[in-house]
Amino acid sequence: MAESQEILLQKIKEQGDLVRKLKAAKEANEKIQEEVKKLLALKSQLVTEDAVPQKFTLKTPKGTRDYNPQQMAIRNDVLQKIIAVFKKHGAECIDTPVFELKDVLTGKYGEDSKLIYDLKDQGGEILSLRYDLTVPLARYLAMSKITMLKRYHIAKVYRRDNPAMTRGRYREFYQCDFDIAGQYDLMVPDAECLKVVTEILNFLDIGKYVLKVNHRRLLDGMFEACGVPADKFRTTCSSVDKLDKSPWEEVRTEMINEKGVMPEAADRIGKYVIMNGGVELAEKLLKDEKLSNSKAAIEGLEGIILLLKYCELFGIKDKILFDLSLARGLDYYTGVIYEAVLTEPIKIGNEEQTVGSIAGGGRYDNLVGMFDSKNKQVPCVGVSIGVERIFSVLEAKLAAGEMRVRTNEVDVYVASAQKNFLEERMKICTELWDAGIKTEHSYKKNPKMLTQLQHCEDNCIPLAVVLGESELKRGMVKIRNIVSRQEEEVPREKLVDEVNARLALLNTKGINGV
């Protein structure tokens, strides 16, 4: 076998060399194709003879992961809570393809465009995996000629980034977006987006947080006032965006050495980006000697003042911080921008874990127009919840034993105390299933009673219907409360009503569920 394998490999090499020579000599296409067929035939023999399974490492691709039942239970619970808030504010759900035409995504993300996953040519279309859910929304609005929409979208996105798995940074991950599209009065929908974020973070209760806000027009005015050329505004903005991860000196060096900003201009920017506060700061900056001469800066500051006023009316003033260091590097933002950040490390067991940004968004009024043949604009504002980082915090708490999670939603387990009750268990399961009650039983014909009850305890199943020979002869069955271990006989024909009544009582007391 080894000898024939070596001979075959040698023939493949010789045939491959022949094909390459023919191509280099620009021989007739028919002749080249004939030799290529011979090469493919030789390779197919190699595959047939080399049918022994190859050893390889079982792993998920870099920046991706599997999720076990406990982790999925946490994720689904978080997503359901987020969706409940989105629906409370009137949002409708849409979905878009996981990949888009490459041209749709090109030029929308600034320096982050290098993180887009490109796909091979598929039937004449050059495609890329979606980088976020915002650009696909803008394409959807333009293509469908929609001018007003309040939507939410929860789906996976893809970024060819350097992953940090323990901090919730992946190459494949979920985004949860809430967006309001349409021509409305200044800062009214923007303030509601901030309200949505606070409701979600309060609902999830993962730690203290602050919502930082800024304005792209203010940033442009600040760069202008500091002496940055207009063609360097976006690249300078992407440098400022790194202040949440890097010290000012590193950001300043990048601005000067990589972005071409003059040292004096960088130093002027440095004096502004250390500022944060509330309405008082915005009113003070309106009187600033440099900023007051910039129309863009004034427009941004007036917008911030109005936004903070509306946030006070929504009862979230104490969660909002006007912060001039907030930039957000994506090119499509045109107005207010914001980011939610946990203010304290999360204590899990004996360790403290820093999470950072857990939500972000802003206004993007020009994005839809990029896809419209007549450049018709549809103003939009939205927010994306960083659920992966939220998941990482909750999963760490699960691993540390600080929380317990149900991985199923079964309410009733049908058990038998004696042998040969499989058929009766099946009948009762059918009745409960047909009544919409989440039910299961053992797949063994004669399971041990202790094993059945242990299964209920291990899986937090609240009730068990226990079948016994003497009870069934009298037309009765037992309902057992797994937590209290109390049992009560009920008529067989009233089983569904009795189970529903007990489940309603358990739900009222908050015993059932995750």
Side-chain angles (χ1 to χ4, degrees):
M1 172 67 78
E3 184 179 353
S4 63
Q5 191 83 338
E6 289 178 9
I7 293 171
L8 185 57
L9 288 170
Q10 183 62 32
K11 287 182 178 179
I12 289 171
K13 181 181 182 302
E14 291 171 357
Q15 187 66 21
D17 290 340
L18 175 59
V19 169
R20 283 188 285 275
K21 285 179 183 178
L22 292 174
K23 288 182 177 179
K26 297 185 178 178
E27 294 284 351
N29 190 54
E30 293 81 5
K31 187 174 183 180
I32 294 173
Q33 290 302 319
E34 185 179 344
E35 298 302 327
V36 167
K37 285 181 181 178
K38 292 179 182 178
L39 176 61
L40 293 174
L42 288 169
K43 287 185 175 180
S44 68
Q45 293 178 43
L46 179 66
V47 172
T48 303
E49 292 186 14
D50 193 25
V52 179
Q54 297 293 308
K55 289 185 177 180
F56 60 94
T57 303
L58 282 174
K59 63 184 288 292
T60 58
K62 185 179 180 182
T64 66
R65 56 176 293 199
D66 295 321
Y67 300 93
N68 64 36
Q70 289 81 11
Q71 292 162 339
M72 283 307 301
I74 290 173
R75 296 168 80 83
N76 289 334
D77 183 55
V78 168
L79 293 178
Q80 286 170 13
K81 289 176 178 177
I82 291 172
I83 290 172
V85 175
F86 288 163
K87 287 183 175 180
K88 183 169 68 172
H89 286 263
E92 302 170 289
C93 183
I94 71 164
D95 194 14
T96 61
V98 74
F99 45 79
E100 297 275 354
L101 296 176
K102 184 177 180 180
D103 290 346
V104 168
L105 305 183
T106 301
K108 313 301 188 303
Y109 301 108
E111 294 183 2
D112 283 355
S113 291
K114 63 181 181 289
L115 303 181
I116 294 174
Y117 269 111
D118 292 331
L119 304 176
K120 286 186 176 181
D121 185 340
Q122 297 290 330
E125 291 187 330
I126 308 300
L127 307 172
S128 297
L129 294 177
R130 60 188 173 202
Y131 177 88
D132 67 1
L133 302 178
T134 305
V135 171
L137 169 65
R139 190 266 308 151
Y140 169 82
L141 293 172
M143 196 173 88
S144 307
K145 306 298 181 185
I146 295 171
T147 57
M148 293 176 64
L149 179 68
K150 186 188 293 183
R151 82 87 164 91
Y152 75 88
H153 189 183
I154 297 177
K156 286 182 177 181
V157 299
Y158 299 85
R159 297 184 184 178
R160 199 163 47 84
D161 203 352
N162 289 321
M165 308 290 276
T166 56
R167 297 188 59 218
R169 179 183 294 173
Y170 305 98
R171 289 182 167 183
E172 177 193 60
F173 58 94
Y174 273 101
Q175 280 194 339
C176 300
D177 281 20
F178 172 90
D179 292 79
I180 301 172
Q183 188 73 52
Y184 300 108
D185 286 334
L186 190 66
M187 293 298 169
V188 178
D190 310 62
E192 183 164 351
C193 285
L194 296 179
K195 176 67 172 173
V196 165
V197 176
T198 61
E199 288 183 6
I200 288 172
L201 296 183
N202 290 343
F203 197 2
L204 296 176
D205 190 27
I206 63 167
K208 295 180 179 179
Y209 65 91
V210 64
L211 258 170
K212 297 181 179 180
V213 301
N214 202 357
H215 202 293
R216 264 296 173 78
R217 295 290 287 159
L218 172 56
L219 283 168
D220 288 349
M222 181 178 77
F223 297 148
E224 177 189 5
C226 292
V228 177
D231 62 348
K232 288 185 169 61
F233 283 2
R234 292 283 76 83
T235 56
T236 304
C237 191
S238 69
S239 292
V240 173
D241 185 45
K242 297 175 182 176
L243 280 170
D244 63 332
K245 304 179 188 73
S246 306
W248 165 249
E249 283 305 317
E250 287 184 18
V251 172
R252 179 183 182 275
T253 300
E254 179 181 290
M255 279 185 187
I256 297 168
N257 295 344
E258 298 180 28
K259 307 300 172 64
V261 175
M262 297 300 291
E264 309 83 52
D267 290 336
R268 294 188 195 106
I269 292 172
K271 293 178 181 178
Y272 284 112
V273 294
I274 60 172
M275 296 182 181
N276 59 66
V279 175
E280 301 78 11
L281 175 60
E283 291 173 343
K284 175 186 172 184
L285 290 173
L286 275 175
K287 301 172 185 176
D288 182 89
E289 183 179 351
K290 290 186 176 67
L291 296 181
S292 60
N293 292 321
S294 168
K295 181 181 177 182
I298 292 173
E299 181 184 326
L301 287 166
E302 289 177 344
I304 287 291
I305 291 171
L306 184 60
L307 177 69
L308 294 177
K309 175 186 175 183
Y310 290 158
C311 287
E312 184 174 6
L313 293 173
F314 279 150
I316 59 173
K317 178 184 177 183
D318 61 324
K319 299 293 186 182
I320 309 297
L321 178 69
F322 171 36
D323 191 330
L324 272 76
S325 71
L326 178 65
R328 296 192 65 77
L330 299 179
D331 276 4
Y332 52 64
Y333 289 123
T334 58
V336 65
I337 51 177
Y338 35 81
E339 195 164 272
V341 181
L342 292 185
T343 55
E344 297 176 355
I346 302 296
K347 191 169 181 70
I348 300 166
N350 296 322
E351 296 182 5
E352 290 190 338
Q353 181 174 327
T354 302
V355 179
S357 172
I358 50 174
R363 175 160 289 280
Y364 51 102
D365 287 347
N366 301 331
L367 190 56
V368 177
M370 292 183 183
F371 300 113
D372 189 88
S373 58
K374 297 180 181 178
N375 197 35
K376 184 177 180 181
Q377 303 295 346
V378 178
C380 297
V381 64
V383 65
S384 181
I385 308 299
V387 287
E388 297 295 347
R389 293 188 174 180
I390 294 171
F391 293 151
S392 68
V393 171
L394 296 176
E395 286 175 16
K397 288 186 176 182
L398 176 67
E402 295 182 12
M403 60 185 295
R404 188 179 180 186
V405 175
R406 278 193 71 180
T407 56
N408 66 65
E409 297 182 10
V410 175
D411 290 321
V412 180
Y413 189 92
V414 180
S416 52
Q418 282 108 21
K419 294 181 178 181
N420 301 320
F421 278 103
L422 174 61
E423 294 181 6
E424 191 63 33
R425 292 204 318 265
M426 286 180 164
K427 290 178 185 177
I428 290 179
C429 282
T430 301
E431 287 180 29
L432 296 173
W433 286 329
D434 290 347
I437 298 171
K438 298 166 185 172
T439 307
E440 68 174 359
H441 73 120
S442 173
Y443 296 140
K444 290 188 174 183
K445 188 173 182 179
N446 296 311
K448 294 180 180 179
M449 186 62 183
L450 185 60
T451 303
Q452 296 173 87
L453 295 179
Q454 188 63 48
H455 176 85
C456 294
E457 290 189 10
D458 291 343
N459 292 276
C460 302
I461 300 172
L463 296 179
V465 174
V466 182
L467 310 184
E469 187 175 359
S470 62
E471 289 86 3
L472 285 174
K473 284 181 179 178
R474 292 183 285 109
M476 306 292 283
V477 295
K478 287 181 180 177
I479 297 180
R480 179 185 177 98
N481 184 308
I482 298 299
V483 176
S484 68
R485 302 188 178 183
Q486 292 180 337
E487 292 184 345
E488 184 179 350
E489 286 190 1
V490 299
R492 170 74 177 77
E493 68 273 10
K494 294 184 178 180
L495 177 61
V496 170
D497 291 339
E498 293 289 345
V499 166
N500 276 324
R502 283 161 175 75
L503 289 175
L505 186 60
L506 289 173
N507 284 321
T508 302
K509 292 182 177 181
I511 294 173
N512 196 25
V514 177

